[in-house]
Amino acid sequence: MQCERRNGTQPALTYVETVDTVDTAWERVKNEEKRNLSLGGHVGFDSLPDQLVSKSVTQGFCFNILCVGETGIGKSTLMNTLFNTMFENEEASHYQNGVYLRPRTYDLQESNVHLKLTIVDTVGFGDQINKEDSYKPIVDYIDTQFENYLQEELKIKRSLFNYHDTRIHICLYFIAPTGHSLKSLDLVTMKKLDSKVNIIPIIAKADTISKSELHKFKIKIMSELVSNGVQIYQFPTDDEAVSEINASMNAHLPFAVVGSVEEVKVGNKTVRARQYPWGVVQVENESHCDFVKLREMLIRVNMEDLREQTHARHYELYRRCKLEEMGFKDTDPDSQPFSLQETYEAKRKEFLGDLQRNEEEMRQMFVNKVKETEAELKEKERELHDKFEQLKRMHQEEKRKVEEKRKDLDEEMNAFNRKKVAAETLSLSQPLKKDKDKKKIFKEEPMSSLAMAIEGSAYK
Amino acid sequence: MLLSRVTMKQHSKQQKNLEGYVGFANLPNQVYRKSVKRGFEFTLMVVGESGLGKSTLINSLFLTDLYSPEYPGPSHRIKKTVQVEQSKVLVKEGGVQLLLTIVDTPGFGDAVDNSNCWQPVIDHIDSKFEDYLNAESRVNRRLMPDSRVQCCLYFIAPSGHGLKPLDIEFMKRLHEKVNIIPLIAKADTMTPEECQQFKKQIMKEIQEHKIKIYEFPETDDEEEMKMVRKIKDRLPLAVVGSNTIIEVNGKRVRGRQYPWGVAEVENGEHCDFTILRNMLIRTHMQDLKDVTNNVHYENYRSRKLAAVTYNGVDNNKTKGQLTKSPLAQMEEERREHVSKMKKMEQEMEQVFEMKVKEKLQKLRDSEAELQRRHEQMKKNLEAQHKELEEKRRQHEEEKSNWEAQQRILEQQKLDASRTLEKNKKKKIF
């Protein structure tokens, strides 16, 4: 459609021209340009965050903590103190054969918020003489939770919004309060865990270290972590609302904590504390220990961020590695992106090809076997046949011999009979006496049937 | 089997009572904070014949000139075929950012022959699902932009009679792909009574055709349930939109000026616009997104993946086996195949063994038979031999007897002749 321009002036927008310019404007918009528009009144979508929050509250939250530390270092006590409740816990013995993980799930509620809390304890950590493999059960547990989530995500019919997420959101690593430096077991374990889970290192039983020692200890620990390349969790500073407090807390890591569920009267208040002859260590006193800081950071400020990091970073890394292991790629050799369908179809073709080949091989093997056995049997048959041919020939031979003998005998007998006949004819021409004698003889002599037969035949 | 609406509540039974304040009640605030920082997205689709007031309604809903002379509404952009076009706008209110995508369908229902005019719409929705599925399934996943259509406002012409065949056809084909909210457009052309009738008729037809329009979720909250029930009674919502602001009784309101009065957009007695706005934007926007994600998208995904997984496999076996990932499915098929092969192998072995045994048995039998015959013949031969021997013996016996006899006879003859001679000699004397 033509657009006629009047000289020197902007063309008046006729319907035709409108369509023209509209087309181009629309083209631009179609290419995903975002227009910023101002509102002429209160629309109401500022309630969106509230809608989201109300949905999350209805669904409930879940949070999973992993406590890694030697037996007796105060893991259970700290959990009880953090959550202000006595979780059932038997004391662990020092004589475990290996490290095993003990997860326990609790349902907590505070005002209208439901929290499904899972605390995973490492039982037996640090107790064995050879601790080379101590980290393995921990890594395996974390990976298993990722794997379970991944399997659910890959299912054809899945229900992710119903899924009880057991992935570890935070690992509290308990450092023994030696005052000197990290143990090599600590470094090894944290190095193995830092790419799989958010780690917050804490100094346990901090009431055994003095303030100045503590300061030096913290610096030593952080420098060792940095020099060994261990990535611990950094409280996020990108959100203005919490960046300041998070930044300052980052400087206090690792937190030196004291846990206690016993209550001691201090002044006119009853607080949670540990009573010593020389004084009372108050858990919630910030000048005594960093417990409050830990609670603030872990629960009140960054819980959601920990969950997000676990899902968006650690889980994605696990998923990526696993899928690559299974042979999935995002682009084919020509750098064209694969669609999911293509990937699955390719895998399926390969898989079916394998199955086909297996079947073929098996059949072939059988065919060969059958051929072999047939040949064997035929051979046997032939042998048998030969044997009996031979026997038959022998038999024929024997028969022939017998026949010959028979013939001989017959000839002999014939000769004898002729002789006999001749003799008799001779005696017939002899005198009577002799006839009588002969008769007698004839009468006396029993005639064998054979002789009679021969005579009979001779007379013929 | 498609997913239907599921309540997404998670209430646990065993509770632990906390002594003292722990602080995780602050979690919702953390969620709030993060969501505001992230910003929100929403994709809204408007479908209906041209001239039903769609653009005006959108502008009224969002109180902004989404559609304007520079960016005209769908009724001004009709081409030869039905298009599906989207435009993105960014709006901000109270610190909350919303990226709003409006998808419209110029040309829908406007041709003489409207067969399959819903197809471009279906294709668009499916392609957005497909994009999301592919993005979700990549090995390297990044933050995924969600452009899936989360709500479809379907405009029904205010004929006052009932739904048109096109309306029914469209809704039937799309109710399982997107949340459909049917609206009666230009409601100011009907009196309240006519409107009531019309609504009843429409709802009846919707039920008859088993069309699943968007359902409001049940809540425990009594207040909310009351509100929800009120809304349900007024479905489908009859709306009026306007771009002009008129002064009524000293108040400036959006409305349509007629010689006989002003139809106010935001007056609950004039039309259901406020209800729509409250429901769509202020209370149920999140739920629309959730239902799209948890129900419509999941249905699409499971259908797509089932087709991929069971390509070429007998479909009768696969009902009820959809709780696995395609890979797990392949693993299971592999295991099945292995056991099938084992069985086959065993069977073939058995048959083979049996046949070999048979053959060997036959061989043995024939060997025995031949042996027997041979023995028989040998016996025969021996019997003949014996017989022959016997015969010979007899013959020999007879011969020697006869010869003995002959000799005796000869002797007798000799004696007799000698006696005769003697007698002869005597007689002569």
Side-chain angles (χ1 to χ4, degrees):
Chain A
M1 276 186 219
Q2 290 294 349
C3 171
E4 287 227 308
R5 222 175 215 288
R6 294 189 205 126
N7 289 335
T9 52
Q10 290 281 12
L13 289 176
T14 64
Y15 174 78
V16 169
E17 289 159 310
T18 316
V19 171
D20 246 11
T21 41
V22 152
D23 268 8
T24 40
W26 203 254
E27 286 303 312
R28 218 176 353 114
V29 168
K30 269 207 285 196
N31 294 333
E32 312 287 65
E33 173 205 87
K34 285 176 267 199
R35 288 181 288 152
N36 273 298
L37 292 180
S38 55
L39 303 171
H42 180 73
V43 177
F45 60 81
D46 54 352
S47 69
L48 269 174
D50 293 305
Q51 294 181 37
L52 182 63
V53 163
S54 117
K55 178 198 92 167
S56 320
V57 169
T58 325
Q59 245 183 308
F61 298 90
C62 76
F63 195 66
N64 308 316
I65 304 180
L66 170 67
C67 293
V68 180
E70 301 169 0
T71 313
I73 205 169
K75 303 187 284 291
S76 318
T77 316
L78 186 68
M79 286 298 111
N80 291 349
T81 322
L82 257 179
F83 290 97
N84 256 332
T85 176
M86 294 297 287
F87 298 118
E88 312 100 38
N89 265 317
E90 322 109 23
E91 282 183 10
S93 89
H94 283 279
Y95 300 104
Q96 304 285 336
N97 270 337
V99 179
Y100 75 93
L101 279 85
R102 187 174 58 183
R104 281 203 274 240
T105 309
Y106 307 94
D107 286 312
L108 310 173
Q109 182 178 1
E110 197 168 62
S111 66
N112 62 338
V113 177
H114 292 267
L115 180 68
K116 212 180 189 73
L117 178 73
T118 303
I119 300 179
V120 185
D121 208 355
T122 50
V123 181
F125 188 76
D127 279 332
Q128 297 78 35
I129 295 175
N130 181 357
K131 295 177 262 215
E132 264 183 354
D133 292 338
S134 292
Y135 70 88
K136 283 206 188 117
I138 305 176
V139 169
D140 287 344
Y141 182 85
I142 296 176
D143 278 347
T144 310
Q145 309 318 308
F146 283 152
E147 181 67 32
N148 291 344
Y149 190 87
L150 180 65
Q151 283 306 319
E152 182 66 32
E153 215 189 10
L154 288 180
K155 277 190 193 166
I156 296 180
K157 267 193 169 226
R158 59 187 189 180
S159 55
L160 281 174
F161 59 86
N162 259 333
Y163 181 76
H164 175 214
D165 190 3
T166 52
R167 298 174 293 180
I168 300 291
H169 300 122
I170 176 72
C171 169
L172 292 175
Y173 196 93
F174 289 69
I175 298 170
T178 59
H180 292 210
S181 62
L182 286 173
K183 300 195 187 150
S184 45
L185 173 66
D186 296 336
L187 279 171
V188 164
T189 311
M190 278 200 271
K191 194 85 183 77
K192 290 278 178 199
L193 293 177
D194 69 354
S195 60
K196 291 194 174 290
V197 71
N198 302 314
I199 301 181
I200 295 182
I202 53 185
I203 301 171
K205 297 194 171 175
D207 53 350
T208 59
I209 316 183
S210 74
K211 225 182 172 104
S212 52
E213 286 171 352
L214 187 62
H215 185 66
K216 274 194 244 151
F217 191 29
K218 281 192 181 184
I219 294 178
K220 190 82 207 303
I221 291 176
M222 290 311 280
S223 72
E224 277 194 332
L225 288 176
V226 164
S227 60
N228 280 285
V230 176
Q231 304 260 21
I232 58 171
Y233 176 72
Q234 295 292 313
F235 304 117
T237 48
D238 49 357
D239 187 352
E240 314 88 43
V242 292
S243 62
E244 222 182 282
I245 186 170
N246 277 344
S248 81
M249 291 298 179
N250 274 327
H252 281 98
L253 284 171
F255 293 133
V257 292
V258 174
S260 171
V261 286
E262 280 145 20
E263 308 212 316
V264 175
K265 203 163 159 83
V266 173
N268 52 358
K269 278 202 302 180
T270 316
V271 293
R272 287 179 295 171
R274 287 174 63 76
Q275 175 119 63
Y276 288 105
W278 47 87
V280 177
V281 180
Q282 293 158 38
V283 165
E284 278 165 304
N285 188 329
E286 289 206 56
S287 56
H288 288 194
C289 72
D290 296 331
F291 174 82
V292 172
K293 296 195 178 73
L294 174 67
R295 183 179 59 192
E296 193 73 18
M297 285 293 99
L298 181 65
I299 301 179
R300 295 184 189 177
V301 177
N302 296 305
M303 204 181 223
E304 183 60 22
D305 185 69
L306 287 166
R307 283 152 44 92
E308 226 174 73
Q309 289 288 319
T310 306
H311 179 70
R313 191 142 57 95
H314 300 294
Y315 169 70
E316 283 300 312
L317 181 63
Y318 175 84
R319 178 180 175 277
R320 186 163 54 235
C321 294
K322 200 68 200 296
L323 289 184
E324 278 173 3
E325 220 177 282
M326 293 201 282
F328 282 94
K329 281 191 282 286
D330 272 339
T331 57
D332 67 9
D334 300 317
S335 296
Q336 292 289 66
F338 267 144
S339 82
L340 182 69
Q341 198 162 357
E342 283 175 21
T343 315
Y344 276 135
E345 275 180 8
K347 280 223 156 257
R348 189 171 183 76
K349 238 192 273 180
E350 199 186 313
F351 168 71
L352 287 177
D354 276 345
L355 294 187
Q356 192 98 334
R357 236 175 313 128
N358 278 345
E359 228 178 292
E360 277 303 314
E361 274 177 26
M362 194 191 83
R363 278 187 207 279
Q364 194 57 34
M365 190 195 75
F366 251 102
V367 164
N368 289 343
K369 200 162 158 190
V370 167
K371 262 207 205 129
E372 258 179 50
T373 320
E374 263 185 11
E376 270 179 35
L377 287 179
K378 256 209 168 66
E379 184 66 29
K380 274 212 179 102
E381 229 180 301
R382 209 167 48 77
E383 277 176 24
L384 191 68
H385 189 73
D386 285 347
K387 179 165 145 204
F388 278 102
E389 282 296 306
Q390 200 186 30
L391 283 179
K392 201 161 141 193
R393 274 195 295 265
M394 269 171 51
H395 172 81
Q396 299 283 52
E397 188 63 28
E398 293 286 309
K399 201 163 165 191
R400 202 178 50 80
K401 279 200 194 133
V402 169
E403 278 306 310
E404 257 185 54
K405 275 202 182 142
R406 186 190 294 273
K407 238 177 40 191
D408 285 346
L409 182 65
D410 280 349
E411 270 181 34
E412 264 186 48
M413 283 177 75
N414 281 339
F416 169 66
N417 281 331
R418 274 199 298 270
K419 215 159 113 188
K420 219 161 113 178
V421 167
E424 271 162 30
T425 21
L426 206 66
S427 68
L428 272 174
S429 58
Q430 293 282 338
L432 270 133
K433 228 195 215 172
K434 291 191 187 122
D435 277 350
K436 278 191 208 154
D437 291 332
K438 264 214 196 112
K439 274 189 188 150
K440 265 201 237 154
I441 292 166
F442 269 88
K443 275 190 193 145
E444 280 163 22
E445 270 194 14
M447 286 249 251
S448 73
S449 54
L450 208 53
M452 276 170 76
I454 290 172
E455 265 189 70
S457 60
Y459 275 108
K460 283 191 187 123
Chain B
M1 195 179 46
L2 296 176
L3 275 176
S4 60
R5 197 358 174 315
V6 169
T7 47
M8 296 175 279
K9 273 198 282 207
Q10 292 269 352
H11 266 290
S12 27
K13 269 136 205 153
Q14 332 100 310
Q15 302 272 350
K16 275 212 160 278
N17 287 317
L18 307 169
E19 304 125 33
Y21 184 64
V22 175
F24 61 80
N26 207 28
L27 252 181
N29 292 338
Q30 299 179 30
V31 172
Y32 188 101
R33 198 178 12 101
K34 279 191 173 286
S35 71
V36 167
K37 185 152 178 293
R38 247 194 324 258
F40 294 87
E41 297 178 301
F42 193 71
T43 306
L44 179 65
M45 178 183 263
V46 283
V47 183
E49 296 168 14
S50 70
L52 283 180
K54 302 188 288 293
S55 330
T56 320
L57 185 73
I58 295 293
N59 284 355
S60 309
L61 267 176
F62 292 99
L63 293 177
T64 182
D65 285 337
L66 228 142
Y67 290 112
S68 60
E70 294 91 47
Y71 300 93
S75 306
H76 294 287
R77 300 182 347 249
I78 299 178
K79 300 210 174 64
K80 286 216 178 86
T81 53
V82 176
Q83 307 288 312
V84 178
E85 289 165 354
Q86 65 182 34
S87 61
K88 290 187 195 265
V89 295
L90 200 56
V91 285
K92 227 169 152 172
E93 188 178 62
V96 177
Q97 254 193 2
L98 174 65
L99 178 61
L100 186 63
T101 307
I102 305 285
V103 182
D104 55 25
T105 56
F108 180 85
D110 288 327
V112 175
D113 180 3
N114 285 311
S115 326
N116 291 329
C117 67
W118 47 80
Q119 197 57 44
V121 177
I122 295 179
D123 293 340
H124 177 89
I125 294 177
D126 276 347
S127 88
K128 295 298 169 195
F129 280 157
E130 169 101 22
D131 288 343
Y132 193 84
L133 178 62
N134 283 337
E136 191 191 33
S137 314
R138 284 171 63 86
V139 174
N140 281 304
R141 295 198 291 201
R142 251 144 275 159
L143 203 57
M144 289 174 280
D146 188 0
S147 53
R148 298 173 293 182
V149 177
Q150 284 144 347
C151 178
C152 174
L153 296 178
Y154 188 76
F155 287 72
I156 301 169
S159 66
H161 293 175
L163 289 173
K164 291 205 240 178
L166 176 61
D167 300 333
I168 295 173
E169 203 51 45
F170 178 87
M171 288 198 275
K172 262 168 73 170
R173 283 168 190 278
L174 267 96
H175 66 161
E176 276 169 358
K177 289 194 176 287
V178 72
N179 299 317
I180 298 184
I181 298 181
L183 302 172
I184 300 175
K186 297 200 166 170
D188 53 349
T189 61
M190 290 187 289
T191 65
E193 295 77 30
E194 286 169 352
C195 201
Q196 265 307 93
Q197 260 321 94
F198 192 30
K199 285 185 183 183
K200 260 213 214 102
Q201 179 63 23
I202 292 176
M203 288 313 280
K204 193 170 89 147
E205 289 183 28
I206 283 179
Q207 265 160 22
E208 267 171 19
H209 291 273
K210 297 206 187 29
I211 294 171
K212 291 186 254 186
I213 59 175
Y214 173 70
E215 253 177 49
F216 295 87
E218 304 271 314
T219 55
D220 281 345
D221 192 42
E222 256 312 300
E223 286 282 321
E224 277 183 46
M225 270 318 282
K226 260 201 270 185
M227 190 187 77
V228 166
R229 258 176 251 132
K230 243 181 44 183
I231 298 177
K232 279 196 163 152
D233 285 336
R234 315 261 310 242
L235 288 179
L237 301 173
V239 291
V240 174
S242 171
N243 283 330
T244 45
I245 302 189
I246 303 169
E247 188 140 337
V248 174
N249 294 337
K251 274 205 306 184
R252 291 169 60 78
V253 292
R254 279 192 179 231
R256 293 177 59 75
Q257 176 101 64
Y258 290 107
W260 44 89
V262 176
E264 293 166 45
V265 166
E266 284 169 357
N267 188 328
E269 288 168 23
H270 292 192
C271 71
D272 300 325
F273 174 84
T274 358
I275 298 181
L276 174 67
R277 184 187 53 201
N278 288 345
M279 180 271 280
L280 180 64
I281 300 177
R282 296 183 186 176
T283 54
H284 286 86
M285 201 177 235
Q286 184 62 40
D287 187 66
L288 285 163
K289 288 164 70 165
D290 290 337
V291 173
T292 307
N293 186 46
N294 297 336
V295 178
H296 298 297
Y297 171 69
E298 287 298 319
N299 283 338
Y300 172 83
R301 181 179 175 277
S302 50
R303 237 179 290 140
K304 201 75 195 289
L305 290 183
V308 165
T309 313
Y310 299 112
N311 219 353
V313 176
D314 183 24
N315 270 317
N316 289 328
K317 291 194 282 185
T318 63
K319 302 261 160 72
Q321 279 182 345
L322 295 179
T323 50
K324 297 180 207 64
S325 71
L327 297 173
Q329 186 63 32
M330 278 201 270
E331 259 314 297
E332 177 151 327
E333 278 180 20
R334 183 191 289 274
R335 258 179 277 140
E336 264 181 39
H337 182 90
V338 164
S339 73
K340 188 175 89 168
M341 295 257 294
K342 261 214 176 72
K343 232 176 49 177
M344 216 165 60
E345 199 174 336
Q346 271 180 359
E347 279 179 19
M348 280 167 82
E349 273 289 338
Q350 267 183 6
V351 167
F352 178 75
E353 290 286 326
M354 202 179 65
K355 284 243 148 73
V356 166
K357 231 167 70 181
E358 258 182 47
K359 211 99 200 232
L360 280 176
Q361 188 61 31
K362 251 211 240 162
L363 258 170
R364 270 195 293 261
D365 284 347
S366 66
E367 188 176 354
E369 175 71 21
L370 283 172
Q371 189 78 6
R372 196 181 55 77
R373 255 193 266 158
H374 169 75
E375 293 287 315
Q376 185 83 350
M377 288 203 289
K378 206 158 135 197
K379 266 211 195 97
N380 267 346
L381 218 59
E382 270 178 22
Q384 284 187 15
H385 223 265
K386 265 214 183 91
E387 209 184 318
L388 205 63
E389 286 296 312
E390 181 67 22
K391 199 167 147 192
R392 175 174 286 277
R393 195 184 56 75
Q394 278 185 358
H395 167 78
E396 292 291 320
E397 204 181 304
E398 197 190 328
K399 191 164 159 194
S400 60
N401 278 345
W402 186 80
E403 280 180 357
Q405 289 276 346
Q406 290 300 90
R407 274 198 298 277
I408 292 174
L409 227 61
E410 284 296 316
Q411 193 63 32
Q412 280 184 352
K413 246 193 340 198
L414 220 62
D415 286 347
S417 71
R418 250 192 250 130
T419 334
L420 218 60
E421 295 240 335
K422 255 194 216 159
N423 287 344
K424 260 187 188 166
K425 276 181 185 158
K426 280 182 182 167
K427 270 183 180 167
I428 292 172
F429 292 119

